[in-house]
Amino acid sequence: DIQMTQSPSSLSASVGDRVTITCRASQGIRNDLGWYQQKPGKAPKRLIYAASDLQNGVPSRFSGSRSGTEFTLTISSLQPEDFATYYCLHYNSDVHTFGQGTKLEIK
Amino acid sequence: QVQLVQSGAEMKKPGASVKVSCRTSGYIFTTYGIDWVRQAPGQGLEWVGWMSPYDDNRKFAQKLQGRVTMTTDTSTRTVSMELRSLTVDDTAVYYCAIIDGYNSIDYWGQGTPVTVSS
């Protein structure tokens, strides 16, 4: 099975900061990756699909990119509502695999 | 609009089975498969499996193979997930979802807490 390694596991940042979260796949997965945001007690909300496409209604400060088997979620200027836990999700025809999660906290 | 409404919270003893249902609306039922995802308390997201109401095709996470079943009821537009031989490690919130990785289509149910305790 393909493994997804997400880093960092936690991150402290301030409003207005630029932050990046990374997921590395154990083998090539094309662009079969999405990024999710989850707040406590809520269902996950997708931000990015197909590695770099912005989900409808998601602010443009969120962006995704891919370099080989490394995928990055970037938040260009953190807003108060962005403090949450973020997950990558690899999907294919057989199985889906989540990254371990990144908890983004206020510094 | 697309809605996924899940059944209510469950409390089970170890060794029992639990069935969680996901009633869908707002789209043609056979268009999208339904994923199941769970989240243990304080832990990350874990994919459980997927089922297509179109052709009854199913995929399951390897660690749950043999314990999980997924079924559909086209008349009620409901997809159900049953997990057998429960252990305390199955305590989690279980979500149903429509996850289309290639289009801007991503919908989730509200989650169903399942508690396994003696």
Side-chain angles (χ1 to χ4, degrees), chain A residues 1 32 36 38 42-44 46 49-50 55-56 87 91 93-96 98, chain B residues 35 39 44-45 47 59 62 95 99-106 108-109:
Chain A
D1 285 358
D32 298 342
Y36 286 80
Q38 188 182 32
K42 300 293 187 182
R46 192 164 69 182
Y49 65 98
Q55 189 76 15
N56 289 344
Y87 296 91
Y91 41 77
S93 59
D94 290 320
V95 299
H96 296 355
F98 284 96
Chain B
D35 283 278
Q39 186 169 37
L45 300 169
W47 182 74
K59 308 286 184 184
Q62 189 169 9
Y95 294 100
I99 301 173
D100 184 332
Y102 308 101
N103 295 284
S104 191
I105 294 167
D106 189 82
W108 290 66

PDB file of all heavy atoms in Angstrom, chain A residues 1 32 36 38 42-44 46 49-50 55-56 87 91 93-96 98, chain B residues 35 39 44-45 47 59 62 95 99-106 108-109:
ATOM      1  N   ASP A   1       0.836  -1.199   0.000  1.00  0.00           N
ATOM      2  CA  ASP A   1       0.000   0.000   0.000  1.00  0.00           C
ATOM      3  C   ASP A   1       0.875   1.255   0.000  1.00  0.00           C
ATOM      4  O   ASP A   1       1.967   1.278   0.552  1.00  0.00           O
ATOM      5  CB  ASP A   1      -0.900   0.038   1.234  1.00  0.00           C
ATOM      6  CG  ASP A   1      -2.075  -0.931   1.131  1.00  0.00           C
ATOM      7  OD1 ASP A   1      -2.192  -1.582   0.081  1.00  0.00           O
ATOM      8  OD2 ASP A   1      -2.846  -1.013   2.098  1.00  0.00           O
ATOM      9  N   ASP A  32      -3.289  12.556  -7.534  1.00  0.00           N
ATOM     10  CA  ASP A  32      -4.429  11.998  -6.820  1.00  0.00           C
ATOM     11  C   ASP A  32      -4.378  12.333  -5.328  1.00  0.00           C
ATOM     12  O   ASP A  32      -4.282  11.447  -4.463  1.00  0.00           O
ATOM     13  CB  ASP A  32      -4.479  10.482  -7.011  1.00  0.00           C
ATOM     14  CG  ASP A  32      -4.668  10.096  -8.461  1.00  0.00           C
ATOM     15  OD1 ASP A  32      -5.099  10.957  -9.258  1.00  0.00           O
ATOM     16  OD2 ASP A  32      -4.377   8.935  -8.811  1.00  0.00           O
ATOM     17  N   TYR A  36      -7.558  18.623   3.303  1.00  0.00           N
ATOM     18  CA  TYR A  36      -8.747  18.857   4.122  1.00  0.00           C
ATOM     19  C   TYR A  36      -8.390  19.685   5.352  1.00  0.00           C
ATOM     20  O   TYR A  36      -7.286  19.564   5.904  1.00  0.00           O
ATOM     21  CB  TYR A  36      -9.365  17.534   4.576  1.00  0.00           C
ATOM     22  CG  TYR A  36     -10.088  16.794   3.487  1.00  0.00           C
ATOM     23  CD1 TYR A  36      -9.392  16.036   2.554  1.00  0.00           C
ATOM     24  CD2 TYR A  36     -11.469  16.866   3.379  1.00  0.00           C
ATOM     25  CE1 TYR A  36     -10.052  15.367   1.541  1.00  0.00           C
ATOM     26  CE2 TYR A  36     -12.147  16.197   2.375  1.00  0.00           C
ATOM     27  CZ  TYR A  36     -11.433  15.446   1.464  1.00  0.00           C
ATOM     28  OH  TYR A  36     -12.105  14.782   0.469  1.00  0.00           O
ATOM     29  N   GLN A  38     -10.015  20.398   9.211  1.00  0.00           N
ATOM     30  CA  GLN A  38     -11.005  19.926  10.176  1.00  0.00           C
ATOM     31  C   GLN A  38     -10.921  20.734  11.456  1.00  0.00           C
ATOM     32  O   GLN A  38      -9.837  20.927  12.017  1.00  0.00           O
ATOM     33  CB  GLN A  38     -10.815  18.446  10.494  1.00  0.00           C
ATOM     34  CG  GLN A  38     -11.948  17.879  11.347  1.00  0.00           C
ATOM     35  CD  GLN A  38     -11.755  16.426  11.721  1.00  0.00           C
ATOM     36  OE1 GLN A  38     -10.646  15.949  11.895  1.00  0.00           O
ATOM     37  NE2 GLN A  38     -12.868  15.707  11.866  1.00  0.00           N
ATOM     38  N   LYS A  42     -16.300  18.792  14.048  1.00  0.00           N
ATOM     39  CA  LYS A  42     -16.880  18.995  12.721  1.00  0.00           C
ATOM     40  C   LYS A  42     -16.340  17.981  11.726  1.00  0.00           C
ATOM     41  O   LYS A  42     -15.243  17.436  11.900  1.00  0.00           O
ATOM     42  CB  LYS A  42     -16.570  20.406  12.207  1.00  0.00           C
ATOM     43  CG  LYS A  42     -17.105  21.516  13.073  1.00  0.00           C
ATOM     44  CD  LYS A  42     -18.616  21.552  13.073  1.00  0.00           C
ATOM     45  CE  LYS A  42     -19.155  22.767  13.792  1.00  0.00           C
ATOM     46  NZ  LYS A  42     -20.646  22.769  13.820  1.00  0.00           N
ATOM     47  N   ALA A  43     -17.111  17.749  10.658  1.00  0.00           N
ATOM     48  CA  ALA A  43     -16.615  16.918   9.564  1.00  0.00           C
ATOM     49  C   ALA A  43     -15.511  17.652   8.817  1.00  0.00           C
ATOM     50  O   ALA A  43     -15.483  18.891   8.787  1.00  0.00           O
ATOM     51  CB  ALA A  43     -17.758  16.577   8.615  1.00  0.00           C
ATOM     52  N   PRO A  44     -14.599  16.915   8.216  1.00  0.00           N
ATOM     53  CA  PRO A  44     -13.556  17.557   7.409  1.00  0.00           C
ATOM     54  C   PRO A  44     -14.172  18.332   6.246  1.00  0.00           C
ATOM     55  O   PRO A  44     -15.238  17.992   5.730  1.00  0.00           O
ATOM     56  CB  PRO A  44     -12.725  16.377   6.907  1.00  0.00           C
ATOM     57  CG  PRO A  44     -13.001  15.280   7.874  1.00  0.00           C
ATOM     58  CD  PRO A  44     -14.427  15.457   8.292  1.00  0.00           C
ATOM     59  N   ARG A  46     -12.967  19.902   2.454  1.00  0.00           N
ATOM     60  CA  ARG A  46     -11.886  19.861   1.465  1.00  0.00           C
ATOM     61  C   ARG A  46     -11.551  21.269   0.994  1.00  0.00           C
ATOM     62  O   ARG A  46     -12.436  22.078   0.703  1.00  0.00           O
ATOM     63  CB  ARG A  46     -12.237  18.976   0.281  1.00  0.00           C
ATOM     64  CG  ARG A  46     -11.030  18.687  -0.602  1.00  0.00           C
ATOM     65  CD  ARG A  46     -11.281  17.523  -1.534  1.00  0.00           C
ATOM     66  NE  ARG A  46     -12.271  17.853  -2.548  1.00  0.00           N
ATOM     67  CZ  ARG A  46     -12.694  16.975  -3.462  1.00  0.00           C
ATOM     68  NH1 ARG A  46     -12.228  15.744  -3.462  1.00  0.00           N
ATOM     69  NH2 ARG A  46     -13.592  17.353  -4.355  1.00  0.00           N
ATOM     70  N   TYR A  49      -8.309  19.826  -4.356  1.00  0.00           N
ATOM     71  CA  TYR A  49      -8.391  18.495  -4.948  1.00  0.00           C
ATOM     72  C   TYR A  49      -7.459  18.433  -6.157  1.00  0.00           C
ATOM     73  O   TYR A  49      -7.011  19.478  -6.656  1.00  0.00           O
ATOM     74  CB  TYR A  49      -9.833  18.137  -5.334  1.00  0.00           C
ATOM     75  CG  TYR A  49     -10.427  18.996  -6.436  1.00  0.00           C
ATOM     76  CD1 TYR A  49     -10.436  18.549  -7.759  1.00  0.00           C
ATOM     77  CD2 TYR A  49     -10.974  20.245  -6.160  1.00  0.00           C
ATOM     78  CE1 TYR A  49     -10.968  19.310  -8.768  1.00  0.00           C
ATOM     79  CE2 TYR A  49     -11.507  21.021  -7.169  1.00  0.00           C
ATOM     80  CZ  TYR A  49     -11.511  20.554  -8.469  1.00  0.00           C
ATOM     81  OH  TYR A  49     -12.038  21.330  -9.469  1.00  0.00           O
ATOM     82  N   ALA A  50      -7.176  17.213  -6.584  1.00  0.00           N
ATOM     83  CA  ALA A  50      -6.253  16.993  -7.715  1.00  0.00           C
ATOM     84  C   ALA A  50      -4.956  17.793  -7.533  1.00  0.00           C
ATOM     85  O   ALA A  50      -4.461  18.416  -8.474  1.00  0.00           O
ATOM     86  CB  ALA A  50      -6.944  17.351  -9.033  1.00  0.00           C
ATOM     87  N   GLN A  55     -11.023  24.037  -4.213  1.00  0.00           N
ATOM     88  CA  GLN A  55     -12.421  23.656  -4.043  1.00  0.00           C
ATOM     89  C   GLN A  55     -13.304  24.904  -4.140  1.00  0.00           C
ATOM     90  O   GLN A  55     -12.910  25.993  -3.694  1.00  0.00           O
ATOM     91  CB  GLN A  55     -12.600  22.994  -2.666  1.00  0.00           C
ATOM     92  CG  GLN A  55     -13.932  22.359  -2.393  1.00  0.00           C
ATOM     93  CD  GLN A  55     -14.136  21.029  -3.085  1.00  0.00           C
ATOM     94  OE1 GLN A  55     -13.184  20.421  -3.568  1.00  0.00           O
ATOM     95  NE2 GLN A  55     -15.374  20.580  -3.129  1.00  0.00           N
ATOM     96  N   ASN A  56     -14.493  24.731  -4.732  1.00  0.00           N
ATOM     97  CA  ASN A  56     -15.431  25.848  -4.834  1.00  0.00           C
ATOM     98  C   ASN A  56     -15.672  26.497  -3.473  1.00  0.00           C
ATOM     99  O   ASN A  56     -15.935  25.812  -2.484  1.00  0.00           O
ATOM    100  CB  ASN A  56     -16.764  25.367  -5.401  1.00  0.00           C
ATOM    101  CG  ASN A  56     -16.685  25.020  -6.859  1.00  0.00           C
ATOM    102  OD1 ASN A  56     -15.726  25.400  -7.544  1.00  0.00           O
ATOM    103  ND2 ASN A  56     -17.663  24.298  -7.358  1.00  0.00           N
ATOM    104  N   TYR A  87      -5.301  17.711   6.884  1.00  0.00           N
ATOM    105  CA  TYR A  87      -4.956  16.359   6.455  1.00  0.00           C
ATOM    106  C   TYR A  87      -4.814  16.330   4.936  1.00  0.00           C
ATOM    107  O   TYR A  87      -5.609  16.955   4.214  1.00  0.00           O
ATOM    108  CB  TYR A  87      -6.056  15.360   6.823  1.00  0.00           C
ATOM    109  CG  TYR A  87      -6.292  15.175   8.297  1.00  0.00           C
ATOM    110  CD1 TYR A  87      -7.225  15.961   8.968  1.00  0.00           C
ATOM    111  CD2 TYR A  87      -5.609  14.204   9.018  1.00  0.00           C
ATOM    112  CE1 TYR A  87      -7.453  15.800  10.329  1.00  0.00           C
ATOM    113  CE2 TYR A  87      -5.828  14.027  10.376  1.00  0.00           C
ATOM    114  CZ  TYR A  87      -6.753  14.838  11.020  1.00  0.00           C
ATOM    115  OH  TYR A  87      -6.983  14.662  12.366  1.00  0.00           O
ATOM    116  N   TYR A  91      -6.146   9.415  -2.933  1.00  0.00           N
ATOM    117  CA  TYR A  91      -7.265   8.581  -3.380  1.00  0.00           C
ATOM    118  C   TYR A  91      -6.887   7.935  -4.701  1.00  0.00           C
ATOM    119  O   TYR A  91      -6.205   8.510  -5.544  1.00  0.00           O
ATOM    120  CB  TYR A  91      -8.544   9.418  -3.533  1.00  0.00           C
ATOM    121  CG  TYR A  91      -8.338  10.771  -4.154  1.00  0.00           C
ATOM    122  CD1 TYR A  91      -8.157  10.923  -5.528  1.00  0.00           C
ATOM    123  CD2 TYR A  91      -8.306  11.907  -3.359  1.00  0.00           C
ATOM    124  CE1 TYR A  91      -7.966  12.171  -6.083  1.00  0.00           C
ATOM    125  CE2 TYR A  91      -8.114  13.167  -3.917  1.00  0.00           C
ATOM    126  CZ  TYR A  91      -7.938  13.286  -5.280  1.00  0.00           C
ATOM    127  OH  TYR A  91      -7.730  14.518  -5.824  1.00  0.00           O
ATOM    128  N   SER A  93      -8.198   4.138  -7.230  1.00  0.00           N
ATOM    129  CA  SER A  93      -9.319   3.253  -7.518  1.00  0.00           C
ATOM    130  C   SER A  93      -9.491   2.160  -6.469  1.00  0.00           C
ATOM    131  O   SER A  93     -10.538   1.527  -6.412  1.00  0.00           O
ATOM    132  CB  SER A  93      -9.135   2.608  -8.898  1.00  0.00           C
ATOM    133  OG  SER A  93      -7.927   1.881  -8.930  1.00  0.00           O
ATOM    134  N   ASP A  94      -8.475   1.932  -5.649  1.00  0.00           N
ATOM    135  CA  ASP A  94      -8.549   0.833  -4.688  1.00  0.00           C
ATOM    136  C   ASP A  94      -8.719   1.289  -3.238  1.00  0.00           C
ATOM    137  O   ASP A  94      -9.624   0.858  -2.553  1.00  0.00           O
ATOM    138  CB  ASP A  94      -7.301  -0.051  -4.795  1.00  0.00           C
ATOM    139  CG  ASP A  94      -7.285  -0.846  -6.075  1.00  0.00           C
ATOM    140  OD1 ASP A  94      -8.362  -1.329  -6.473  1.00  0.00           O
ATOM    141  OD2 ASP A  94      -6.211  -0.968  -6.687  1.00  0.00           O
ATOM    142  N   VAL A  95      -7.828   2.124  -2.784  1.00  0.00           N
ATOM    143  CA  VAL A  95      -7.865   2.561  -1.390  1.00  0.00           C
ATOM    144  C   VAL A  95      -7.593   4.045  -1.313  1.00  0.00           C
ATOM    145  O   VAL A  95      -7.027   4.647  -2.224  1.00  0.00           O
ATOM    146  CB  VAL A  95      -6.834   1.804  -0.525  1.00  0.00           C
ATOM    147  CG1 VAL A  95      -7.115   0.320  -0.521  1.00  0.00           C
ATOM    148  CG2 VAL A  95      -5.422   2.086  -0.996  1.00  0.00           C
ATOM    149  N   HIS A  96      -8.043   4.617  -0.200  1.00  0.00           N
ATOM    150  CA  HIS A  96      -7.703   6.003   0.114  1.00  0.00           C
ATOM    151  C   HIS A  96      -6.784   5.973   1.336  1.00  0.00           C
ATOM    152  O   HIS A  96      -6.940   5.111   2.210  1.00  0.00           O
ATOM    153  CB  HIS A  96      -8.955   6.801   0.459  1.00  0.00           C
ATOM    154  CG  HIS A  96      -9.945   6.949  -0.667  1.00  0.00           C
ATOM    155  ND1 HIS A  96      -9.723   6.500  -1.942  1.00  0.00           N
ATOM    156  CD2 HIS A  96     -11.168   7.531  -0.683  1.00  0.00           C
ATOM    157  CE1 HIS A  96     -10.762   6.779  -2.702  1.00  0.00           C
ATOM    158  NE2 HIS A  96     -11.662   7.401  -1.970  1.00  0.00           N
ATOM    159  N   PHE A  98      -5.090   8.629   4.303  1.00  0.00           N
ATOM    160  CA  PHE A  98      -4.906   9.959   4.887  1.00  0.00           C
ATOM    161  C   PHE A  98      -3.491  10.116   5.421  1.00  0.00           C
ATOM    162  O   PHE A  98      -2.877   9.149   5.891  1.00  0.00           O
ATOM    163  CB  PHE A  98      -5.878  10.165   6.051  1.00  0.00           C
ATOM    164  CG  PHE A  98      -7.293  10.427   5.642  1.00  0.00           C
ATOM    165  CD1 PHE A  98      -8.221   9.402   5.596  1.00  0.00           C
ATOM    166  CD2 PHE A  98      -7.711  11.714   5.300  1.00  0.00           C
ATOM    167  CE1 PHE A  98      -9.533   9.637   5.216  1.00  0.00           C
ATOM    168  CE2 PHE A  98      -9.019  11.960   4.918  1.00  0.00           C
ATOM    169  CZ  PHE A  98      -9.939  10.913   4.880  1.00  0.00           C
TER     170      PHE A  98
ATOM    171  N   ASP B  35     -17.991   6.876   0.479  1.00  0.00           N
ATOM    172  CA  ASP B  35     -16.852   6.503   1.315  1.00  0.00           C
ATOM    173  C   ASP B  35     -17.260   6.521   2.778  1.00  0.00           C
ATOM    174  O   ASP B  35     -18.127   7.302   3.185  1.00  0.00           O
ATOM    175  CB  ASP B  35     -15.708   7.506   1.121  1.00  0.00           C
ATOM    176  CG  ASP B  35     -14.942   7.297  -0.167  1.00  0.00           C
ATOM    177  OD1 ASP B  35     -14.064   6.431  -0.180  1.00  0.00           O
ATOM    178  OD2 ASP B  35     -15.244   8.004  -1.144  1.00  0.00           O
ATOM    179  N   GLN B  39     -12.812   8.329  12.844  1.00  0.00           N
ATOM    180  CA  GLN B  39     -11.851   9.112  13.612  1.00  0.00           C
ATOM    181  C   GLN B  39     -11.988   8.747  15.080  1.00  0.00           C
ATOM    182  O   GLN B  39     -12.995   9.085  15.715  1.00  0.00           O
ATOM    183  CB  GLN B  39     -12.089  10.608  13.396  1.00  0.00           C
ATOM    184  CG  GLN B  39     -11.050  11.495  14.048  1.00  0.00           C
ATOM    185  CD  GLN B  39     -11.188  12.933  13.585  1.00  0.00           C
ATOM    186  OE1 GLN B  39     -12.271  13.445  13.371  1.00  0.00           O
ATOM    187  NE2 GLN B  39     -10.046  13.595  13.401  1.00  0.00           N
ATOM    188  N   GLY B  44      -6.338  10.875  14.191  1.00  0.00           N
ATOM    189  CA  GLY B  44      -6.523  11.345  12.834  1.00  0.00           C
ATOM    190  C   GLY B  44      -7.636  10.611  12.106  1.00  0.00           C
ATOM    191  O   GLY B  44      -8.345   9.774  12.665  1.00  0.00           O
ATOM    192  N   LEU B  45      -7.764  10.948  10.843  1.00  0.00           N
ATOM    193  CA  LEU B  45      -8.789  10.352   9.994  1.00  0.00           C
ATOM    194  C   LEU B  45      -8.291   9.031   9.425  1.00  0.00           C
ATOM    195  O   LEU B  45      -7.128   8.908   9.043  1.00  0.00           O
ATOM    196  CB  LEU B  45      -9.138  11.310   8.855  1.00  0.00           C
ATOM    197  CG  LEU B  45      -9.667  12.672   9.283  1.00  0.00           C
ATOM    198  CD1 LEU B  45      -9.725  13.621   8.087  1.00  0.00           C
ATOM    199  CD2 LEU B  45     -11.033  12.542   9.927  1.00  0.00           C
ATOM    200  N   TRP B  47      -9.493   5.989   6.618  1.00  0.00           N
ATOM    201  CA  TRP B  47     -10.433   5.521   5.607  1.00  0.00           C
ATOM    202  C   TRP B  47     -10.855   4.097   5.930  1.00  0.00           C
ATOM    203  O   TRP B  47     -10.009   3.249   6.205  1.00  0.00           O
ATOM    204  CB  TRP B  47      -9.776   5.593   4.234  1.00  0.00           C
ATOM    205  CG  TRP B  47     -10.658   5.191   3.100  1.00  0.00           C
ATOM    206  CD1 TRP B  47     -11.689   5.897   2.574  1.00  0.00           C
ATOM    207  CD2 TRP B  47     -10.565   3.981   2.348  1.00  0.00           C
ATOM    208  NE1 TRP B  47     -12.246   5.210   1.520  1.00  0.00           N
ATOM    209  CE2 TRP B  47     -11.566   4.033   1.363  1.00  0.00           C
ATOM    210  CE3 TRP B  47      -9.732   2.861   2.395  1.00  0.00           C
ATOM    211  CZ2 TRP B  47     -11.770   3.012   0.430  1.00  0.00           C
ATOM    212  CZ3 TRP B  47      -9.929   1.846   1.474  1.00  0.00           C
ATOM    213  CH2 TRP B  47     -10.938   1.930   0.507  1.00  0.00           C
ATOM    214  N   LYS B  59     -14.711  -1.526  -1.844  1.00  0.00           N
ATOM    215  CA  LYS B  59     -13.296  -1.546  -1.481  1.00  0.00           C
ATOM    216  C   LYS B  59     -13.229  -1.315   0.019  1.00  0.00           C
ATOM    217  O   LYS B  59     -13.964  -0.474   0.544  1.00  0.00           O
ATOM    218  CB  LYS B  59     -12.521  -0.430  -2.190  1.00  0.00           C
ATOM    219  CG  LYS B  59     -12.700  -0.372  -3.688  1.00  0.00           C
ATOM    220  CD  LYS B  59     -11.961  -1.483  -4.386  1.00  0.00           C
ATOM    221  CE  LYS B  59     -12.086  -1.322  -5.914  1.00  0.00           C
ATOM    222  NZ  LYS B  59     -11.451  -2.467  -6.630  1.00  0.00           N
ATOM    223  N   GLN B  62      -7.514  -2.593   4.345  1.00  0.00           N
ATOM    224  CA  GLN B  62      -7.018  -3.957   4.578  1.00  0.00           C
ATOM    225  C   GLN B  62      -7.199  -4.381   6.031  1.00  0.00           C
ATOM    226  O   GLN B  62      -7.559  -5.532   6.302  1.00  0.00           O
ATOM    227  CB  GLN B  62      -5.542  -4.037   4.176  1.00  0.00           C
ATOM    228  CG  GLN B  62      -4.994  -5.444   4.169  1.00  0.00           C
ATOM    229  CD  GLN B  62      -3.627  -5.521   3.518  1.00  0.00           C
ATOM    230  OE1 GLN B  62      -3.002  -4.504   3.204  1.00  0.00           O
ATOM    231  NE2 GLN B  62      -3.145  -6.730   3.305  1.00  0.00           N
ATOM    232  N   TYR B  95     -17.944   8.643   9.648  1.00  0.00           N
ATOM    233  CA  TYR B  95     -18.501   9.564   8.665  1.00  0.00           C
ATOM    234  C   TYR B  95     -18.759   8.838   7.349  1.00  0.00           C
ATOM    235  O   TYR B  95     -17.932   8.027   6.910  1.00  0.00           O
ATOM    236  CB  TYR B  95     -17.522  10.700   8.349  1.00  0.00           C
ATOM    237  CG  TYR B  95     -17.214  11.647   9.471  1.00  0.00           C
ATOM    238  CD1 TYR B  95     -16.053  11.527  10.219  1.00  0.00           C
ATOM    239  CD2 TYR B  95     -18.064  12.719   9.756  1.00  0.00           C
ATOM    240  CE1 TYR B  95     -15.744  12.423  11.235  1.00  0.00           C
ATOM    241  CE2 TYR B  95     -17.769  13.625  10.772  1.00  0.00           C
ATOM    242  CZ  TYR B  95     -16.615  13.465  11.499  1.00  0.00           C
ATOM    243  OH  TYR B  95     -16.319  14.369  12.496  1.00  0.00           O
ATOM    244  N   ILE B  99     -16.669  11.570  -2.041  1.00  0.00           N
ATOM    245  CA  ILE B  99     -15.367  12.176  -2.316  1.00  0.00           C
ATOM    246  C   ILE B  99     -15.035  11.921  -3.779  1.00  0.00           C
ATOM    247  O   ILE B  99     -14.660  10.815  -4.156  1.00  0.00           O
ATOM    248  CB  ILE B  99     -14.269  11.585  -1.411  1.00  0.00           C
ATOM    249  CG1 ILE B  99     -14.611  11.796   0.064  1.00  0.00           C
ATOM    250  CG2 ILE B  99     -12.915  12.195  -1.753  1.00  0.00           C
ATOM    251  CD1 ILE B  99     -13.661  11.098   1.029  1.00  0.00           C
ATOM    252  N   ASP B 100     -15.179  12.935  -4.603  1.00  0.00           N
ATOM    253  CA  ASP B 100     -14.767  12.848  -5.996  1.00  0.00           C
ATOM    254  C   ASP B 100     -13.459  13.605  -6.120  1.00  0.00           C
ATOM    255  O   ASP B 100     -13.436  14.827  -6.017  1.00  0.00           O
ATOM    256  CB  ASP B 100     -15.837  13.447  -6.905  1.00  0.00           C
ATOM    257  CG  ASP B 100     -15.491  13.292  -8.389  1.00  0.00           C
ATOM    258  OD1 ASP B 100     -14.289  13.224  -8.733  1.00  0.00           O
ATOM    259  OD2 ASP B 100     -16.426  13.246  -9.211  1.00  0.00           O
ATOM    260  N   GLY B 101     -12.385  12.882  -6.294  1.00  0.00           N
ATOM    261  CA  GLY B 101     -11.063  13.495  -6.269  1.00  0.00           C
ATOM    262  C   GLY B 101     -10.715  14.297  -7.496  1.00  0.00           C
ATOM    263  O   GLY B 101      -9.688  14.985  -7.516  1.00  0.00           O
ATOM    264  N   TYR B 102     -11.555  14.255  -8.509  1.00  0.00           N
ATOM    265  CA  TYR B 102     -11.198  14.879  -9.784  1.00  0.00           C
ATOM    266  C   TYR B 102     -12.131  16.012 -10.155  1.00  0.00           C
ATOM    267  O   TYR B 102     -11.986  16.625 -11.210  1.00  0.00           O
ATOM    268  CB  TYR B 102     -11.156  13.809 -10.875  1.00  0.00           C
ATOM    269  CG  TYR B 102     -10.283  12.652 -10.451  1.00  0.00           C
ATOM    270  CD1 TYR B 102     -10.837  11.478  -9.966  1.00  0.00           C
ATOM    271  CD2 TYR B 102      -8.894  12.752 -10.482  1.00  0.00           C
ATOM    272  CE1 TYR B 102     -10.043  10.440  -9.519  1.00  0.00           C
ATOM    273  CE2 TYR B 102      -8.091  11.714 -10.039  1.00  0.00           C
ATOM    274  CZ  TYR B 102      -8.678  10.558  -9.566  1.00  0.00           C
ATOM    275  OH  TYR B 102      -7.891   9.534  -9.129  1.00  0.00           O
ATOM    276  N   ASN B 103     -13.101  16.277  -9.288  1.00  0.00           N
ATOM    277  CA  ASN B 103     -14.028  17.390  -9.471  1.00  0.00           C
ATOM    278  C   ASN B 103     -14.283  18.020  -8.113  1.00  0.00           C
ATOM    279  O   ASN B 103     -13.983  17.437  -7.082  1.00  0.00           O
ATOM    280  CB  ASN B 103     -15.355  16.890 -10.066  1.00  0.00           C
ATOM    281  CG  ASN B 103     -15.163  16.333 -11.455  1.00  0.00           C
ATOM    282  OD1 ASN B 103     -15.005  17.086 -12.413  1.00  0.00           O
ATOM    283  ND2 ASN B 103     -15.156  15.023 -11.579  1.00  0.00           N
ATOM    284  N   SER B 104     -14.894  19.184  -8.153  1.00  0.00           N
ATOM    285  CA  SER B 104     -15.149  19.900  -6.905  1.00  0.00           C
ATOM    286  C   SER B 104     -16.391  19.353  -6.214  1.00  0.00           C
ATOM    287  O   SER B 104     -17.326  20.077  -5.912  1.00  0.00           O
ATOM    288  CB  SER B 104     -15.292  21.392  -7.185  1.00  0.00           C
ATOM    289  OG  SER B 104     -15.299  22.126  -5.984  1.00  0.00           O
ATOM    290  N   ILE B 105     -16.388  18.056  -5.970  1.00  0.00           N
ATOM    291  CA  ILE B 105     -17.535  17.382  -5.360  1.00  0.00           C
ATOM    292  C   ILE B 105     -17.043  16.657  -4.126  1.00  0.00           C
ATOM    293  O   ILE B 105     -16.260  15.704  -4.223  1.00  0.00           O
ATOM    294  CB  ILE B 105     -18.188  16.395  -6.351  1.00  0.00           C
ATOM    295  CG1 ILE B 105     -18.799  17.168  -7.512  1.00  0.00           C
ATOM    296  CG2 ILE B 105     -19.242  15.534  -5.641  1.00  0.00           C
ATOM    297  CD1 ILE B 105     -19.192  16.312  -8.671  1.00  0.00           C
ATOM    298  N   ASP B 106     -17.477  17.137  -2.988  1.00  0.00           N
ATOM    299  CA  ASP B 106     -17.013  16.588  -1.719  1.00  0.00           C
ATOM    300  C   ASP B 106     -18.067  16.912  -0.676  1.00  0.00           C
ATOM    301  O   ASP B 106     -18.264  18.078  -0.336  1.00  0.00           O
ATOM    302  CB  ASP B 106     -15.669  17.221  -1.345  1.00  0.00           C
ATOM    303  CG  ASP B 106     -15.018  16.535  -0.157  1.00  0.00           C
ATOM    304  OD1 ASP B 106     -14.372  15.502  -0.360  1.00  0.00           O
ATOM    305  OD2 ASP B 106     -15.161  17.041   0.974  1.00  0.00           O
ATOM    306  N   TRP B 108     -20.033  15.512   3.084  1.00  0.00           N
ATOM    307  CA  TRP B 108     -19.863  14.657   4.251  1.00  0.00           C
ATOM    308  C   TRP B 108     -21.134  14.633   5.089  1.00  0.00           C
ATOM    309  O   TRP B 108     -21.855  15.632   5.179  1.00  0.00           O
ATOM    310  CB  TRP B 108     -18.713  15.166   5.122  1.00  0.00           C
ATOM    311  CG  TRP B 108     -17.371  14.976   4.473  1.00  0.00           C
ATOM    312  CD1 TRP B 108     -16.909  15.579   3.337  1.00  0.00           C
ATOM    313  CD2 TRP B 108     -16.308  14.127   4.920  1.00  0.00           C
ATOM    314  NE1 TRP B 108     -15.636  15.153   3.048  1.00  0.00           N
ATOM    315  CE2 TRP B 108     -15.246  14.265   4.008  1.00  0.00           C
ATOM    316  CE3 TRP B 108     -16.155  13.257   6.008  1.00  0.00           C
ATOM    317  CZ2 TRP B 108     -14.034  13.564   4.140  1.00  0.00           C
ATOM    318  CZ3 TRP B 108     -14.959  12.575   6.156  1.00  0.00           C
ATOM    319  CH2 TRP B 108     -13.921  12.728   5.234  1.00  0.00           C
ATOM    320  N   GLY B 109     -21.379  13.479   5.710  1.00  0.00           N
ATOM    321  CA  GLY B 109     -22.422  13.398   6.712  1.00  0.00           C
ATOM    322  C   GLY B 109     -21.969  14.060   8.007  1.00  0.00           C
ATOM    323  O   GLY B 109     -20.814  14.491   8.129  1.00  0.00           O
TER     324      GLY B 109
END
